[in-house]
Amino acid sequence: MTGPHGVGIGWRPEIAGFVADLPGLRFVEVVAEGVAASGPLPAGLAALRERGVTVVPHGVRLSLGGAEPVDPARVAHLGAVAQLVGAPLVSEHIAFVRAGGVEAGHLLPLPRSREAVDAVCANVARAQAGLPVPIALEPIAALFDWPDDELDEADFLTEILDRTGAFLLLDVANVYANARNRGTDPAALLDRLPLDRVSYVHVAGGAEHGGYYHDTHTDAVPPPVLDLLRELCARRRPPALLLERDGHYPPAPVLRAELDALAAASGFPVVT
């Protein structure tokens, strides 16, 4: 699979002009549900495609971890967006967003149980059957663990990846957030994950509120997350890194500096 490469950024309409002006940019990620499956693409996204920039659709509503089968219409939409942008792959979360017909509006964590592994694998298989390209799965940041966990995080993720053949979208900000809130070592998880399955990596900022570290996507990337990124690259550098920012956008020089920091931590060429 020829996937994304180098340093990229999440494309959002609010920063479309900034993204368009990045001379070395080779890939972006777009929230799939924000793109009309029938087209046309937003002008800024279409211009990037014309430049040869790889676009990866990132889904947030499949609910792969739900007990109910994935909605075929949502799978079809994700697949249609992938074809519209000529994507080499799509990505989604190991999480659930609805149950009993009720939409949560948030990505919710799964109990790390055998039953949950079976549910995720069944839904990933259903999604794969309806998608024109491979899928990468992203573990989420969670503020709590379920009391009936049977597997630790590494075993839970590895079993899902092994059984589905999916790729891993590793979010180092999520790894940091989970470890900080659990009081564990984030680098220890890296040693137990199948890093050869990583398609690309998310990097994002966060902040502490009420004694917990929250993966906000609206704050600067903190030094410990950059340190963890360096740890990851020292073990096995992923093919690509993506800066996620979903609000409270800083001035352009600040965003450029964050992209440069990702390049410096990984050894990838700067894109600014």
Side-chain angles (χ1 to χ4, degrees), residues 66-110:
E68 302 123 336
V70 288
D71 181 350
R74 297 186 185 192
V75 175
H77 181 274
L78 182 57
V81 173
Q83 290 184 307
L84 188 64
V85 300
L89 79 162
V90 297
S91 57
E92 246 287 2
H93 302 85
I94 300 175
F96 72 99
V97 299
R98 68 182 180 280
V102 177
E103 297 283 337
H106 298 280
L107 297 166
L108 300 172
L110 305 179

mmCIF file of all heavy atoms in Angstrom, residues 66-110:
data_model
loop_
_atom_site.group_PDB
_atom_site.id
_atom_site.type_symbol
_atom_site.label_atom_id
_atom_site.label_comp_id
_atom_site.label_asym_id
_atom_site.label_seq_id
_atom_site.Cartn_x
_atom_site.Cartn_y
_atom_site.Cartn_z
ATOM 1 N N GLY A 66 -19.325 -0.770 18.572
ATOM 2 C CA GLY A 66 -20.682 -0.954 19.055
ATOM 3 C C GLY A 66 -21.129 -2.410 18.983
ATOM 4 O O GLY A 66 -20.612 -3.206 18.191
ATOM 5 N N ALA A 67 -22.097 -2.746 19.817
ATOM 6 C CA ALA A 67 -22.630 -4.110 19.804
ATOM 7 C C ALA A 67 -23.457 -4.367 18.554
ATOM 8 O O ALA A 67 -23.592 -5.512 18.112
ATOM 9 C CB ALA A 67 -23.477 -4.346 21.050
ATOM 10 N N GLU A 68 -24.023 -3.278 17.984
ATOM 11 C CA GLU A 68 -24.820 -3.436 16.773
ATOM 12 C C GLU A 68 -23.922 -3.406 15.543
ATOM 13 O O GLU A 68 -22.842 -2.806 15.561
ATOM 14 C CB GLU A 68 -25.843 -2.297 16.670
ATOM 15 C CG GLU A 68 -26.782 -2.215 17.855
ATOM 16 C CD GLU A 68 -26.746 -0.861 18.531
ATOM 17 O OE1 GLU A 68 -25.714 -0.167 18.390
ATOM 18 O OE2 GLU A 68 -27.718 -0.522 19.210
ATOM 19 N N PRO A 69 -24.346 -4.054 14.450
ATOM 20 C CA PRO A 69 -23.569 -3.983 13.207
ATOM 21 C C PRO A 69 -23.426 -2.532 12.734
ATOM 22 O O PRO A 69 -24.309 -1.698 12.961
ATOM 23 C CB PRO A 69 -24.407 -4.799 12.213
ATOM 24 C CG PRO A 69 -25.216 -5.720 13.057
ATOM 25 C CD PRO A 69 -25.519 -4.954 14.314
ATOM 26 N N VAL A 70 -22.307 -2.241 12.084
ATOM 27 C CA VAL A 70 -22.116 -0.901 11.532
ATOM 28 C C VAL A 70 -23.214 -0.594 10.524
ATOM 29 O O VAL A 70 -23.732 -1.483 9.848
ATOM 30 C CB VAL A 70 -20.729 -0.751 10.864
ATOM 31 C CG1 VAL A 70 -19.626 -0.695 11.880
ATOM 32 C CG2 VAL A 70 -20.492 -1.857 9.848
ATOM 33 N N ASP A 71 -23.560 0.677 10.437
ATOM 34 C CA ASP A 71 -24.589 1.130 9.504
ATOM 35 C C ASP A 71 -24.019 1.093 8.083
ATOM 36 O O ASP A 71 -23.054 1.809 7.786
ATOM 37 C CB ASP A 71 -24.990 2.552 9.887
ATOM 38 C CG ASP A 71 -26.074 3.132 9.000
ATOM 39 O OD1 ASP A 71 -26.395 2.523 7.966
ATOM 40 O OD2 ASP A 71 -26.591 4.213 9.337
ATOM 41 N N PRO A 72 -24.597 0.283 7.187
ATOM 42 C CA PRO A 72 -24.053 0.201 5.820
ATOM 43 C C PRO A 72 -24.005 1.550 5.107
ATOM 44 O O PRO A 72 -23.105 1.789 4.294
ATOM 45 C CB PRO A 72 -25.019 -0.763 5.112
ATOM 46 C CG PRO A 72 -25.634 -1.567 6.203
ATOM 47 C CD PRO A 72 -25.734 -0.637 7.381
ATOM 48 N N ALA A 73 -24.952 2.440 5.407
ATOM 49 C CA ALA A 73 -24.951 3.749 4.760
ATOM 50 C C ALA A 73 -23.732 4.572 5.178
ATOM 51 O O ALA A 73 -23.165 5.317 4.370
ATOM 52 C CB ALA A 73 -26.238 4.508 5.106
ATOM 53 N N ARG A 74 -23.320 4.431 6.430
ATOM 54 C CA ARG A 74 -22.136 5.177 6.890
ATOM 55 C C ARG A 74 -20.860 4.599 6.288
ATOM 56 O O ARG A 74 -19.933 5.338 5.947
ATOM 57 C CB ARG A 74 -22.077 5.171 8.420
ATOM 58 C CG ARG A 74 -23.261 5.879 9.049
ATOM 59 C CD ARG A 74 -23.154 6.021 10.555
ATOM 60 N NE ARG A 74 -24.380 6.599 11.111
ATOM 61 C CZ ARG A 74 -24.520 7.045 12.338
ATOM 62 N NH1 ARG A 74 -23.496 6.988 13.180
ATOM 63 N NH2 ARG A 74 -25.661 7.548 12.765
ATOM 64 N N VAL A 75 -20.829 3.285 6.148
ATOM 65 C CA VAL A 75 -19.687 2.663 5.471
ATOM 66 C C VAL A 75 -19.633 3.124 4.017
ATOM 67 O O VAL A 75 -18.566 3.462 3.487
ATOM 68 C CB VAL A 75 -19.771 1.129 5.554
ATOM 69 C CG1 VAL A 75 -18.644 0.486 4.749
ATOM 70 C CG2 VAL A 75 -19.714 0.657 7.005
ATOM 71 N N ALA A 76 -20.788 3.145 3.356
ATOM 72 C CA ALA A 76 -20.849 3.563 1.957
ATOM 73 C C ALA A 76 -20.382 5.003 1.797
ATOM 74 O O ALA A 76 -19.682 5.339 0.827
ATOM 75 C CB ALA A 76 -22.270 3.398 1.426
ATOM 76 N N HIS A 77 -20.759 5.863 2.748
ATOM 77 C CA HIS A 77 -20.325 7.262 2.677
ATOM 78 C C HIS A 77 -18.809 7.359 2.798
ATOM 79 O O HIS A 77 -18.159 8.070 2.024
ATOM 80 C CB HIS A 77 -20.995 8.087 3.776
ATOM 81 C CG HIS A 77 -20.618 9.536 3.757
ATOM 82 N ND1 HIS A 77 -19.497 10.024 4.398
ATOM 83 C CD2 HIS A 77 -21.191 10.604 3.144
ATOM 84 C CE1 HIS A 77 -19.404 11.323 4.187
ATOM 85 N NE2 HIS A 77 -20.415 11.694 3.441
ATOM 86 N N LEU A 78 -18.229 6.642 3.757
ATOM 87 C CA LEU A 78 -16.780 6.668 3.933
ATOM 88 C C LEU A 78 -16.078 6.172 2.669
ATOM 89 O O LEU A 78 -15.084 6.759 2.219
ATOM 90 C CB LEU A 78 -16.386 5.820 5.146
ATOM 91 C CG LEU A 78 -14.909 5.766 5.521
ATOM 92 C CD1 LEU A 78 -14.333 7.154 5.773
ATOM 93 C CD2 LEU A 78 -14.713 4.871 6.756
ATOM 94 N N GLY A 79 -16.603 5.097 2.085
ATOM 95 C CA GLY A 79 -16.011 4.565 0.864
ATOM 96 C C GLY A 79 -16.132 5.527 -0.305
ATOM 97 O O GLY A 79 -15.203 5.672 -1.111
ATOM 98 N N ALA A 80 -17.276 6.204 -0.403
ATOM 99 C CA ALA A 80 -17.476 7.152 -1.494
ATOM 100 C C ALA A 80 -16.528 8.344 -1.375
ATOM 101 O O ALA A 80 -15.985 8.826 -2.383
ATOM 102 C CB ALA A 80 -18.929 7.626 -1.512
ATOM 103 N N VAL A 81 -16.326 8.821 -0.152
ATOM 104 C CA VAL A 81 -15.384 9.929 0.050
ATOM 105 C C VAL A 81 -13.966 9.484 -0.307
ATOM 106 O O VAL A 81 -13.203 10.240 -0.928
ATOM 107 C CB VAL A 81 -15.457 10.455 1.496
ATOM 108 C CG1 VAL A 81 -14.367 11.489 1.758
ATOM 109 C CG2 VAL A 81 -16.828 11.063 1.770
ATOM 110 N N ALA A 82 -13.616 8.249 0.063
ATOM 111 C CA ALA A 82 -12.288 7.729 -0.290
ATOM 112 C C ALA A 82 -12.089 7.734 -1.802
ATOM 113 O O ALA A 82 -11.017 8.118 -2.310
ATOM 114 C CB ALA A 82 -12.122 6.318 0.267
ATOM 115 N N GLN A 83 -13.111 7.331 -2.542
ATOM 116 C CA GLN A 83 -12.999 7.316 -4.004
ATOM 117 C C GLN A 83 -12.955 8.738 -4.555
ATOM 118 O O GLN A 83 -12.228 9.025 -5.520
ATOM 119 C CB GLN A 83 -14.161 6.532 -4.598
ATOM 120 C CG GLN A 83 -14.073 5.040 -4.318
ATOM 121 C CD GLN A 83 -15.168 4.246 -4.996
ATOM 122 O OE1 GLN A 83 -16.350 4.559 -4.836
ATOM 123 N NE2 GLN A 83 -14.792 3.219 -5.735
ATOM 124 N N LEU A 84 -13.734 9.630 -3.952
ATOM 125 C CA LEU A 84 -13.791 11.016 -4.417
ATOM 126 C C LEU A 84 -12.430 11.691 -4.323
ATOM 127 O O LEU A 84 -12.044 12.464 -5.213
ATOM 128 C CB LEU A 84 -14.826 11.774 -3.587
ATOM 129 C CG LEU A 84 -15.188 13.192 -4.023
ATOM 130 C CD1 LEU A 84 -15.850 13.194 -5.398
ATOM 131 C CD2 LEU A 84 -16.120 13.838 -2.987
ATOM 132 N N VAL A 85 -11.683 11.402 -3.253
ATOM 133 C CA VAL A 85 -10.388 12.066 -3.059
ATOM 134 C C VAL A 85 -9.216 11.198 -3.534
ATOM 135 O O VAL A 85 -8.062 11.610 -3.425
ATOM 136 C CB VAL A 85 -10.171 12.459 -1.582
ATOM 137 C CG1 VAL A 85 -11.253 13.411 -1.118
ATOM 138 C CG2 VAL A 85 -10.101 11.234 -0.675
ATOM 139 N N GLY A 86 -9.511 10.002 -4.041
ATOM 140 C CA GLY A 86 -8.438 9.116 -4.495
ATOM 141 C C GLY A 86 -7.552 8.647 -3.359
ATOM 142 O O GLY A 86 -6.325 8.542 -3.520
ATOM 143 N N ALA A 87 -8.168 8.354 -2.194
ATOM 144 C CA ALA A 87 -7.394 8.026 -0.992
ATOM 145 C C ALA A 87 -6.780 6.639 -1.083
ATOM 146 O O ALA A 87 -7.397 5.711 -1.598
ATOM 147 C CB ALA A 87 -8.296 8.105 0.234
ATOM 148 N N PRO A 88 -5.564 6.473 -0.520
ATOM 149 C CA PRO A 88 -4.957 5.140 -0.460
ATOM 150 C C PRO A 88 -5.489 4.299 0.686
ATOM 151 O O PRO A 88 -5.318 3.089 0.716
ATOM 152 C CB PRO A 88 -3.473 5.448 -0.255
ATOM 153 C CG PRO A 88 -3.469 6.753 0.484
ATOM 154 C CD PRO A 88 -4.648 7.521 -0.041
ATOM 155 N N LEU A 89 -6.122 4.945 1.677
ATOM 156 C CA LEU A 89 -6.704 4.260 2.827
ATOM 157 C C LEU A 89 -7.662 5.210 3.527
ATOM 158 O O LEU A 89 -7.695 6.411 3.218
ATOM 159 C CB LEU A 89 -5.638 3.765 3.804
ATOM 160 C CG LEU A 89 -5.008 4.773 4.788
ATOM 161 C CD1 LEU A 89 -4.344 4.036 5.935
ATOM 162 C CD2 LEU A 89 -3.989 5.657 4.079
ATOM 163 N N VAL A 90 -8.439 4.658 4.460
ATOM 164 C CA VAL A 90 -9.278 5.466 5.340
ATOM 165 C C VAL A 90 -8.916 5.110 6.770
ATOM 166 O O VAL A 90 -8.202 4.134 7.020
ATOM 167 C CB VAL A 90 -10.781 5.213 5.098
ATOM 168 C CG1 VAL A 90 -11.181 5.613 3.688
ATOM 169 C CG2 VAL A 90 -11.142 3.749 5.374
ATOM 170 N N SER A 91 -9.421 5.886 7.721
ATOM 171 C CA SER A 91 -9.167 5.570 9.129
ATOM 172 C C SER A 91 -10.431 5.804 9.940
ATOM 173 O O SER A 91 -11.309 6.588 9.566
ATOM 174 C CB SER A 91 -7.993 6.385 9.676
ATOM 175 O OG SER A 91 -8.214 7.780 9.517
ATOM 176 N N GLU A 92 -10.518 5.086 11.049
ATOM 177 C CA GLU A 92 -11.638 5.202 11.991
ATOM 178 C C GLU A 92 -11.142 4.825 13.375
ATOM 179 O O GLU A 92 -9.988 4.462 13.554
ATOM 180 C CB GLU A 92 -12.805 4.302 11.582
ATOM 181 C CG GLU A 92 -14.073 5.065 11.168
ATOM 182 C CD GLU A 92 -14.845 5.722 12.312
ATOM 183 O OE1 GLU A 92 -14.394 5.636 13.471
ATOM 184 O OE2 GLU A 92 -15.915 6.306 12.052
ATOM 185 N N HIS A 93 -12.042 4.918 14.357
ATOM 186 C CA HIS A 93 -11.664 4.736 15.755
ATOM 187 C C HIS A 93 -12.127 3.402 16.318
ATOM 188 O O HIS A 93 -13.182 2.895 15.940
ATOM 189 C CB HIS A 93 -12.278 5.859 16.603
ATOM 190 C CG HIS A 93 -11.864 7.226 16.164
ATOM 191 N ND1 HIS A 93 -12.521 7.902 15.156
ATOM 192 C CD2 HIS A 93 -10.861 8.031 16.582
ATOM 193 C CE1 HIS A 93 -11.932 9.077 14.976
ATOM 194 N NE2 HIS A 93 -10.928 9.175 15.827
ATOM 195 N N ILE A 94 -11.341 2.870 17.224
ATOM 196 C CA ILE A 94 -11.777 1.734 18.029
ATOM 197 C C ILE A 94 -12.556 2.311 19.199
ATOM 198 O O ILE A 94 -12.005 2.656 20.250
ATOM 199 C CB ILE A 94 -10.572 0.886 18.497
ATOM 200 C CG1 ILE A 94 -9.801 0.345 17.289
ATOM 201 C CG2 ILE A 94 -11.039 -0.259 19.389
ATOM 202 C CD1 ILE A 94 -8.530 -0.404 17.654
ATOM 203 N N ALA A 95 -13.860 2.460 18.979
ATOM 204 C CA ALA A 95 -14.722 3.140 19.941
ATOM 205 C C ALA A 95 -16.163 2.879 19.542
ATOM 206 O O ALA A 95 -16.433 2.322 18.479
ATOM 207 C CB ALA A 95 -14.445 4.645 19.928
ATOM 208 N N PHE A 96 -17.092 3.284 20.392
ATOM 209 C CA PHE A 96 -18.484 3.288 19.967
ATOM 210 C C PHE A 96 -19.068 4.674 20.160
ATOM 211 O O PHE A 96 -18.631 5.427 21.032
ATOM 212 C CB PHE A 96 -19.312 2.201 20.672
ATOM 213 C CG PHE A 96 -19.614 2.434 22.134
ATOM 214 C CD1 PHE A 96 -20.836 2.946 22.528
ATOM 215 C CD2 PHE A 96 -18.687 2.093 23.120
ATOM 216 C CE1 PHE A 96 -21.137 3.141 23.879
ATOM 217 C CE2 PHE A 96 -18.987 2.273 24.470
ATOM 218 C CZ PHE A 96 -20.221 2.803 24.848
ATOM 219 N N VAL A 97 -20.016 5.023 19.296
ATOM 220 C CA VAL A 97 -20.630 6.349 19.358
ATOM 221 C C VAL A 97 -22.142 6.262 19.504
ATOM 222 O O VAL A 97 -22.811 7.280 19.650
ATOM 223 C CB VAL A 97 -20.295 7.203 18.108
ATOM 224 C CG1 VAL A 97 -18.804 7.422 17.997
ATOM 225 C CG2 VAL A 97 -20.856 6.564 16.841
ATOM 226 N N ARG A 98 -22.675 5.043 19.441
ATOM 227 C CA ARG A 98 -24.114 4.897 19.630
ATOM 228 C C ARG A 98 -24.418 3.518 20.207
ATOM 229 O O ARG A 98 -23.655 2.573 20.046
ATOM 230 C CB ARG A 98 -24.883 5.116 18.320
ATOM 231 C CG ARG A 98 -24.683 4.054 17.271
ATOM 232 C CD ARG A 98 -25.457 4.405 15.990
ATOM 233 N NE ARG A 98 -25.272 3.394 14.968
ATOM 234 C CZ ARG A 98 -24.196 3.306 14.188
ATOM 235 N NH1 ARG A 98 -23.211 4.186 14.318
ATOM 236 N NH2 ARG A 98 -24.107 2.355 13.275
ATOM 237 N N ALA A 99 -25.561 3.444 20.877
ATOM 238 C CA ALA A 99 -26.034 2.176 21.435
ATOM 239 C C ALA A 99 -27.543 2.263 21.571
ATOM 240 O O ALA A 99 -28.079 3.303 21.978
ATOM 241 C CB ALA A 99 -25.394 1.907 22.796
ATOM 242 N N GLY A 100 -28.234 1.199 21.201
ATOM 243 C CA GLY A 100 -29.685 1.189 21.292
ATOM 244 C C GLY A 100 -30.339 2.282 20.486
ATOM 245 O O GLY A 100 -31.403 2.779 20.858
ATOM 246 N N GLY A 101 -29.678 2.692 19.393
ATOM 247 C CA GLY A 101 -30.220 3.742 18.547
ATOM 248 C C GLY A 101 -29.961 5.148 19.029
ATOM 249 O O GLY A 101 -30.385 6.118 18.393
ATOM 250 N N VAL A 102 -29.279 5.293 20.150
ATOM 251 C CA VAL A 102 -28.984 6.620 20.706
ATOM 252 C C VAL A 102 -27.566 7.033 20.314
ATOM 253 O O VAL A 102 -26.611 6.281 20.531
ATOM 254 C CB VAL A 102 -29.116 6.619 22.247
ATOM 255 C CG1 VAL A 102 -28.735 7.979 22.819
ATOM 256 C CG2 VAL A 102 -30.531 6.240 22.655
ATOM 257 N N GLU A 103 -27.441 8.222 19.733
ATOM 258 C CA GLU A 103 -26.135 8.756 19.341
ATOM 259 C C GLU A 103 -25.518 9.503 20.522
ATOM 260 O O GLU A 103 -26.151 10.405 21.083
ATOM 261 C CB GLU A 103 -26.267 9.708 18.147
ATOM 262 C CG GLU A 103 -26.782 9.064 16.883
ATOM 263 C CD GLU A 103 -25.725 8.248 16.160
ATOM 264 O OE1 GLU A 103 -24.520 8.498 16.367
ATOM 265 O OE2 GLU A 103 -26.101 7.347 15.382
ATOM 266 N N ALA A 104 -24.295 9.129 20.882
ATOM 267 C CA ALA A 104 -23.641 9.768 22.030
ATOM 268 C C ALA A 104 -23.063 11.131 21.673
ATOM 269 O O ALA A 104 -22.951 12.008 22.527
ATOM 270 C CB ALA A 104 -22.538 8.858 22.564
ATOM 271 N N GLY A 105 -22.648 11.289 20.413
ATOM 272 C CA GLY A 105 -21.997 12.535 20.027
ATOM 273 C C GLY A 105 -20.539 12.597 20.429
ATOM 274 O O GLY A 105 -19.876 13.609 20.240
ATOM 275 N N HIS A 106 -20.022 11.503 21.011
ATOM 276 C CA HIS A 106 -18.622 11.442 21.447
ATOM 277 C C HIS A 106 -18.080 10.043 21.157
ATOM 278 O O HIS A 106 -18.838 9.075 21.049
ATOM 279 C CB HIS A 106 -18.499 11.718 22.951
ATOM 280 C CG HIS A 106 -18.960 13.079 23.362
ATOM 281 N ND1 HIS A 106 -18.184 14.204 23.205
ATOM 282 C CD2 HIS A 106 -20.128 13.490 23.916
ATOM 283 C CE1 HIS A 106 -18.856 15.262 23.653
ATOM 284 N NE2 HIS A 106 -20.035 14.852 24.086
ATOM 285 N N LEU A 107 -16.760 9.946 21.081
ATOM 286 C CA LEU A 107 -16.107 8.647 20.959
ATOM 287 C C LEU A 107 -15.977 8.052 22.359
ATOM 288 O O LEU A 107 -15.325 8.622 23.221
ATOM 289 C CB LEU A 107 -14.720 8.805 20.329
ATOM 290 C CG LEU A 107 -14.696 9.342 18.890
ATOM 291 C CD1 LEU A 107 -13.286 9.783 18.522
ATOM 292 C CD2 LEU A 107 -15.206 8.296 17.910
ATOM 293 N N LEU A 108 -16.602 6.914 22.572
ATOM 294 C CA LEU A 108 -16.631 6.301 23.897
ATOM 295 C C LEU A 108 -15.756 5.053 23.935
ATOM 296 O O LEU A 108 -15.718 4.273 22.974
ATOM 297 C CB LEU A 108 -18.067 5.939 24.268
ATOM 298 C CG LEU A 108 -19.037 7.129 24.319
ATOM 299 C CD1 LEU A 108 -20.460 6.649 24.510
ATOM 300 C CD2 LEU A 108 -18.632 8.101 25.412
ATOM 301 N N PRO A 109 -15.044 4.835 25.064
ATOM 302 C CA PRO A 109 -14.105 3.710 25.142
ATOM 303 C C PRO A 109 -14.820 2.374 25.334
ATOM 304 O O PRO A 109 -15.934 2.314 25.867
ATOM 305 C CB PRO A 109 -13.250 4.054 26.361
ATOM 306 C CG PRO A 109 -14.165 4.859 27.234
ATOM 307 C CD PRO A 109 -15.021 5.664 26.285
ATOM 308 N N LEU A 110 -14.151 1.316 24.912
ATOM 309 C CA LEU A 110 -14.683 -0.036 25.047
ATOM 310 C C LEU A 110 -14.085 -0.731 26.254
ATOM 311 O O LEU A 110 -12.930 -0.471 26.618
ATOM 312 C CB LEU A 110 -14.332 -0.870 23.809
ATOM 313 C CG LEU A 110 -14.736 -0.324 22.456
ATOM 314 C CD1 LEU A 110 -14.269 -1.273 21.364
ATOM 315 C CD2 LEU A 110 -16.228 -0.108 22.398
#
